Amino acid sequence: MYSYNEIKTVHLEITEKCNAACPMCARNINGGEDNPWLQNAELSLTDIHTIFPDDFIKQLNHMFMCGNYGDPIVAKDTLAVFKHFRKVNPNIYLSMNTNGSARTQDWWRDLAKTIGTDGYVIFSIDGLEDTNYLYRKNTVWEKIIDNAKAFVDAGGIAHWEYIVFEHNQHQIEEAKRLSEQMGFQKFQVKTSSRFFSSVAGSTKSYIKTVNRKGEEIVIREPSDALYANQTTKEMSSIAEEKEILFPTKKIDLLGKLNPEMFDSRSKVQQHYDTTSIKCKVKEEKSIYISAEGILQPCCWVAGQMYNWYHTPKGSQIWSFINRVGKDKINTLNHTLEDILDNDYFGSIERSWEKSSCNEGKLQVCAKTCGTNDAFAQQYI
């Protein structure tokens, strides 16, 4: 896909730990019990020194912390890691996504000084005091606001990212005004694609979730069509069509169509089977490092490793991992250069030319980097 010397961006998930329990997050089961396949892995500053040689850091344009499961403010060495990257490469762009509900105000002031004007922090705040906690469970509004204010007042560049649900759609303009009053440089409305399930090939207007006490809480998509995810609507329209017969082979030995050579496929599955893939991270020259130290092309591919609704190692990505062995893509045991030189990344790229996902095309790539991908129109 690309070589070691070409990498310009690192997406680092420093921890699988989080102080929140968002119901549509993969680190817990619908907002309740923790994902049983996670080990709460976390990278230390020592690990970062092992994974990233100074010369590699110097070639980077951007390092950001986000990920699939954890929040970087929970990790012990997050601030130290940002300081290390800034020291080695004074011109690198640094950024982070967070719920903002942890650490002291002094920590946030120090972070602002470390990142400076070459970077920013995205605060994921989905509503106001009376609504944000409904999705960002276990977070504390007052602490979020105090931390964001400390960061901004110390010179930090802050963005407010707001996922729209039915319960907070009426507060968007008020939240935007608050962001401006506090000194946020950007207010971004985000439409969730998670009301569509590619596994079920269907969409729901609501999702039943639970809290840690097992109490049911319903999260509903916005009723205002302005805030509906357009790609989700398009995929839902595809899903509503009847199942079709999809040929496993075009003709039999006599040159005739044979009904036994056809499988039943949903329209959604046919879309994933036939869509062309334009890899976002290949164009960006970006890599992803998990909290275990596993090197993957992106967080979407990595996110398939530990879906709680699969049996352990039951998702498609493990067929690719097992060809080389999980250890062979572990940056704590092998260099970035050696991993990029083995065939793991190449096998993923070659899969895109397969005739179907059943034949080995990696479906998560079709979902996230094919046409009508679920992330293309999430920002408005």
Side-chain angles (χ1 to χ4, degrees):
M1 289 176 68
Y2 32 54
S3 67
Y4 175 84
N5 292 329
E6 292 179 308
I7 305 302
K8 295 301 178 185
T9 298
V10 167
H11 178 178
L12 177 64
E13 180 159 22
I14 194 169
T15 185
E16 290 177 346
K17 301 173 185 176
C18 188
N19 59 325
C22 303
M24 295 162 80
C25 175
R27 88 171 308 276
N28 55 65
I29 302 175
N30 290 335
E33 296 180 4
D34 285 350
N35 182 331
W37 316 135
L38 299 181
Q39 303 298 316
N40 282 330
E42 183 169 303
L43 295 172
S44 67
L45 180 60
T46 300
D47 294 331
I48 296 302
H49 282 282
T50 298
I51 296 169
F52 302 109
D54 286 0
D55 286 345
F56 178 77
I57 293 177
K58 289 175 183 177
Q59 81 181 36
L60 297 176
N61 295 331
H62 188 193
M63 187 279 284
F64 67 100
M65 295 187 190
C66 184
N68 294 311
Y69 310 111
D71 193 307
I73 59 175
V74 176
K76 177 183 176 182
D77 288 342
T78 291
L79 183 56
V81 170
F82 275 123
K83 287 182 176 181
H84 175 64
F85 273 82
R86 174 62 74 220
K87 180 180 178 181
V88 175
N89 184 348
N91 298 316
I92 193 172
Y93 214 72
L94 300 172
S95 62
M96 178 178 84
N97 291 60
T98 178
N99 66 59
S101 183
R103 297 292 182 177
T104 66
Q105 292 178 44
D106 283 342
W107 188 94
W108 284 96
R109 294 184 187 101
D110 203 351
L111 180 66
K113 294 172 183 176
T114 300
I115 293 178
T117 57
D118 289 325
Y120 55 88
V121 168
I122 294 176
F123 288 84
S124 298
I125 310 174
D126 307 321
L128 297 173
E129 184 172 11
D130 61 333
T131 56
N132 182 60
Y133 75 96
L134 294 173
Y135 185 73
R136 300 287 166 180
K137 296 184 186 300
N138 300 340
T139 65
V140 178
W141 172 261
E142 184 177 357
K143 190 166 186 63
I144 296 167
I145 298 303
D146 287 346
N147 288 342
K149 188 175 187 303
F151 179 77
V152 171
D153 288 350
I157 297 174
H159 299 173
W160 181 323
E161 191 168 272
Y162 189 113
I163 302 176
V164 185
F165 302 101
E166 184 182 61
H167 64 255
N168 67 7
Q169 63 185 4
H170 63 290
Q171 295 178 323
I172 293 174
E173 290 305 316
E174 186 178 352
K176 184 178 181 180
R177 286 193 296 271
L178 177 60
S179 75
E180 293 167 350
Q181 292 168 8
M182 291 181 62
F184 280 81
Q185 288 203 8
K186 185 176 182 180
F187 182 86
Q188 180 69 66
V189 174
K190 185 176 182 180
T191 62
S192 176
S193 62
R194 294 183 181 181
F195 288 98
F196 178 80
S197 169
S198 59
V199 176
S202 61
T203 187
K204 291 184 176 180
S205 61
Y206 64 90
I207 293 177
K208 291 183 178 180
T209 71
V210 295
N211 59 23
R212 294 299 169 92
K213 297 179 181 179
E215 299 166 334
E216 184 176 282
I217 299 171
V218 176
I219 302 294
R220 299 182 183 277
E221 69 175 347
S223 56
D224 189 332
L226 176 64
Y227 303 117
N229 184 283
Q230 295 304 307
T231 300
T232 298
K233 289 172 63 177
E234 292 166 10
M235 291 302 293
S236 299
S237 178
I238 292 174
E240 288 172 359
E241 298 186 37
K242 295 180 180 179
E243 285 192 335
I244 64 164
L245 292 177
F246 186 81
T248 57
K249 296 180 181 179
K250 291 183 179 180
I251 56 175
D252 63 16
L253 295 177
L254 299 177
K256 298 179 180 179
L257 291 174
N258 185 338
E260 294 181 358
M261 294 181 177
F262 285 75
D263 287 336
S264 178
R265 293 281 200 279
S266 70
K267 277 287 189 178
V268 170
Q269 186 59 59
Q270 186 200 26
H271 170 75
Y272 293 145
D273 287 343
T274 59
T275 188
S276 59
I277 294 170
K278 186 176 182 181
C279 178
K280 296 177 178 68
V281 296
K282 181 179 179 180
E283 290 188 347
E284 296 168 355
K285 307 301 183 188
S286 172
I287 57 172
Y288 166 90
I289 307 288
S290 79
E292 292 182 284
I294 301 300
L295 176 61
Q296 293 282 17
C298 63
C299 62
W300 298 304
V301 170
Q304 300 303 300
M305 292 179 65
Y306 302 122
N307 285 322
W308 58 262
Y309 46 82
H310 281 296
T311 57
K313 301 184 180 181
S315 59
Q316 189 188 18
I317 189 57
W318 282 99
S319 65
F320 292 82
I321 295 172
N322 290 336
R323 291 172 194 170
V324 297
K326 182 183 174 184
D327 175 72
K328 295 294 186 180
I329 56 173
N330 189 329
T331 60
L332 295 174
N333 300 330
H334 302 277
T335 67
L336 289 169
E337 193 164 10
D338 285 346
I339 296 173
L340 289 167
D341 282 345
N342 75 34
D343 194 46
Y344 178 69
F345 278 58
S347 67
I348 290 176
E349 185 171 19
R350 289 194 300 274
S351 82
W352 302 338
E353 302 304 320
K354 299 286 187 179
S355 60
S356 71
C357 296
N358 279 352
E359 294 297 319
K361 183 178 185 178
L362 190 52
Q363 181 165 312
V364 66
C365 297
K367 178 182 177 182
T368 58
C369 289
T371 55
N372 283 22
D373 77 81
F375 303 90
Q377 300 180 61
Q378 61 181 335
Y379 295 108
I380 60 175

